[in-house]
Amino acid sequence: MRIGVAGIAGRMGRLVAEEILAAGATLSGGLALPGDAAPSDIPLFTTLADLAAISDAIIDFTHASAVQPHAAAIAHAHIAWVLGTTGLSPADQAAITYAATTAPIIQAANFSPGVALVLALAERLGAALPADAYDADILEMHHRQKVDAPSGTALALGAALATGRGTTLDAVRLPPNTGHTGPRPPGGIGFAALRGGQITGEHSLVLTADDEQIVLTHKAFDRRSFARGAVRAALWSAGKPPGLYGMTNVLGMEPHP
Ligand code: NAD
């Protein structure tokens, strides 16, 4: 399989390129911005359409501003798109959904296998515990270079919990906890984001009742686990029909009954 890497000069892109080769697949080329310190021994492009033309799949860890043009290029090329970029707007997400009518797209805010399981557990906790008795918060910490907050994984955790509670995150997301907030409303889902040092990614779902507390934590020690998961998703995409998939599909995890 010929896999191209969008954002090949970035923290994630460099690791993805290494993991493609480690998996025995072909690194077809990379997408990089002018001035990026990209590898010089593979074909480099500045538009995704050109990279897509020589690839069977694209792994994309770039920036939210690139998502809509990339979605259009993928919809035109009909090849697989493994999308890890976070911080997306509703319009970005709509462009992805549209592109998924013509191409297989695997999108995950976090490609580590452990987080896919934590998301499934969050949904089960949401279904099992009454929302008005268990105040829910998601606490995350990342390295100081991260540009979006809360993280895509934190939002995915909130969305999974909300789904388990039979609602949507938009309906129950609490505003930032600052100033004269008044008492906490029941059923809300709060977020807190810390930035510092070189923390790869830490997420906790905290469910607090009057008489007990549940804390479900995932800590990523090395962003290589995201890169490996993304390559696994690209290999899995071979021969898949158009559609929007997630890591639960790649890992063969069944939705809980
Ligand atoms: P980074 O800044 O190190 O790398 C991003 C790269 O994309 C840079 O080389 C930059 O030049 C390039 N880029 C930026 N805008 C571009 C554009 N318009 N067109 C083409 N290239 C462009 O960032 P990173 O740490 O590698 O993270 C990249 C993205 O991936 C972020 O959104 C981050 O939150 C996300 N991320 C997702 C996961 C996951 O598992 N889904 C894991 C880690 C990071």
Side-chain angles (χ1 to χ4, degrees), residues 207-224:
L207 294 157
T208 310
D210 288 345
D211 50 4
E212 66 173 359
Q213 185 179 60
I214 300 168
V215 182
L216 182 62
T217 297
H218 180 273
K219 296 186 182 189
F221 299 139
D222 188 338
R223 49 175 67 84
R224 196 171 286 278

Side-chain angles (χ1 to χ4, degrees), residues 173-197:
R173 182 172 173 177
L174 295 178
N177 199 19
T178 180
H180 184 77
T181 59
R184 179 181 181 127
I189 299 179
F191 290 86
L194 305 183
R195 295 288 173 263

Side-chain angles (χ1 to χ4, degrees), residues 28-241:
S28 55
L31 176 71
L33 292 180
D36 274 350
S40 54
D41 53 348
I42 54 163
L44 290 177
F45 303 94
T46 53
T47 65
L48 194 70
D50 291 335
L51 178 59
I54 57 161
S55 306
D56 303 308
I58 298 289
I59 298 179
D60 188 338
F61 289 88
T62 52
H63 186 269
S65 60
V67 163
Q68 292 188 41
H70 288 189
I74 292 291
H76 185 71
H78 304 294
I79 63 166
W81 188 26
V82 176
L83 178 62
T85 305
T86 63
L88 309 188
S89 68
D92 296 333
Q93 200 55 50
I96 295 162
T97 304
Y98 177 73
T101 60
T102 65
I105 298 176
I106 302 117
Q107 183 187 14
N110 191 310
F111 277 99
S112 91
V115 162
L117 193 57
V118 166
L119 291 173
L121 289 171
E123 189 175 335
R124 297 196 77 152
L125 286 166
L129 302 171
D132 55 354
Y134 287 81
D135 296 322
D137 292 287
I138 290 140
L139 177 63
E140 58 105 332
M141 184 159 191
H142 282 84
H143 51 91
R144 65 169 74 94
Q145 294 88 358
K146 185 163 177 61
V147 294
D148 54 314
S151 71
T153 305
L155 293 170
L157 258 175
L161 185 78
T163 300
R165 288 180 164 183
T167 183
T168 64
L169 182 57
D170 282 346
V172 296
R173 182 172 173 177
L174 295 178
N177 199 19
T178 180
H180 184 77
T181 59
R184 179 181 181 127
I189 299 179
F191 290 86
L194 305 183
R195 295 288 173 263
Q198 295 306 321
I199 303 270
T200 301
E202 299 183 358
H203 295 87
S204 293
L205 169 60
V206 185
L207 294 157
T208 310
D210 288 345
D211 50 4
E212 66 173 359
Q213 185 179 60
I214 300 168
V215 182
L216 182 62
T217 297
H218 180 273
K219 296 186 182 189
F221 299 139
D222 188 338
R223 49 175 67 84
R224 196 171 286 278
S225 72
F226 310 136
R228 279 202 196 106
V231 173
R232 186 167 170 176
L235 298 174
W236 176 88
S237 73
K240 293 291 181 299

